[in-house]
Amino acid sequence: MNCLGLVLSGGAARGAYAAGVMRYLLGELPRHLGRVPWPDIVTGSSVGALNGVFAAARSLDAMQRLTAIWRDMTIDDVYRLEARGLVRTLRATWAAASGTALFDAAPLHALVERVAPLDALRRAIDSRALRSFIVSATQVDSGIHVLFVDSAMQALRLDPLPLSRISRVHITARHLLASAALPFAFPPIEIEGVWYVDGGLRQNTPLRPAVMAGASRVIVVGTTAERETPPGIRHPELTPNLPFLAGKTLNALLADPVERDLRATDQVNAIVAWGTSVYGPGFARRLEADLGMRPVETLFIRPSEDLGCLAAETWRRHPPPVPRQVAWLLSTIADRANASDGESDLLSYLLFDRAFTAEVEEIGFQDARRREAELVRFVGEHPPPTAAAVAASSGG
């Protein structure tokens, strides 16, 4: 079956990038295809889940709303500090006396409840226009990775990895918010007596669930750029302060798993291609029947610019009009001790302001446009990939 998957990474405010990619993929690319290339399977973690529901709903009106949200966003739309003030909030959060997060996420909860196209999602799934919508979360008490699966396909088998489980549900706003509940920043979400936090802690880019659900071609949208600078010490005067380390930790947490998953997919493709060339097409059929291994094409789109650098530059040029204590906190997070490096990765996850998010959304749109010919080939009508075709597209 020729089945298109869309996999969306987490990344908090960096999620504006995926919205831009989706605006091109579902809004502009149809002019070259003569149709909208709606994905058959959508998976997402954290902000990837929040973005993903708009693609899963298969509604152009919903996609236009998503664009408008990111291009006109303010920090007040997403979070605020408790009225008791920054110091008291930090004390209460640390002691778990009256809170479990630095920020009050009530604005985000209200936003998702108001704009998430859940009725359209239900229609898409019930009509089987959409095969599956899969959202990643982390169970607080056990640390188990949970996949919330909304699908009309009762025979769907995702074969969860160790310390993972599947929960068949009708996805609601609470499932989306659970996936996006970044620990320490946003409070955990309770669903049927169980507490959940951000799915990115265990699987920030849920590629494997999309493949296991049946995708033969998968577009993966990341939120971190591939650095061209060789690894090593970039600045001898570097001061590894707390904001710097927190930003780099988030980068490592959110970027590394997708690289491993893509490498694993390439390895399976190489095995299928090798076996087919040596033993004939029966090898691929037997491998899929016995072990569930089959060739899968992937197309990875990631930012062409360093979003940490962009966040620092945006903060210097256009600091958002926010309450004094929020401004102080974000200014501190802006990593002034490493100004020579010109970046603030942690700020890029928290700067939910249109001066930043609109520019990031536009970068996503333009990055996708530059890969127009590749996308036309990838999502155009063609049979499922053969082992030879996948090997060729992967450089094998």
Side-chain angles (χ1 to χ4, degrees), residues 40-51:
D40 304 294
I41 297 168
V42 179
T43 69
S45 283
S46 194
V47 73
L50 300 180
N51 282 331

Side-chain angles (χ1 to χ4, degrees), residues 136-148:
S136 174
T138 304
Q139 190 170 320
V140 172
D141 57 350
S142 64
I144 286 177
H145 174 237
V146 180
L147 292 174
F148 293 116

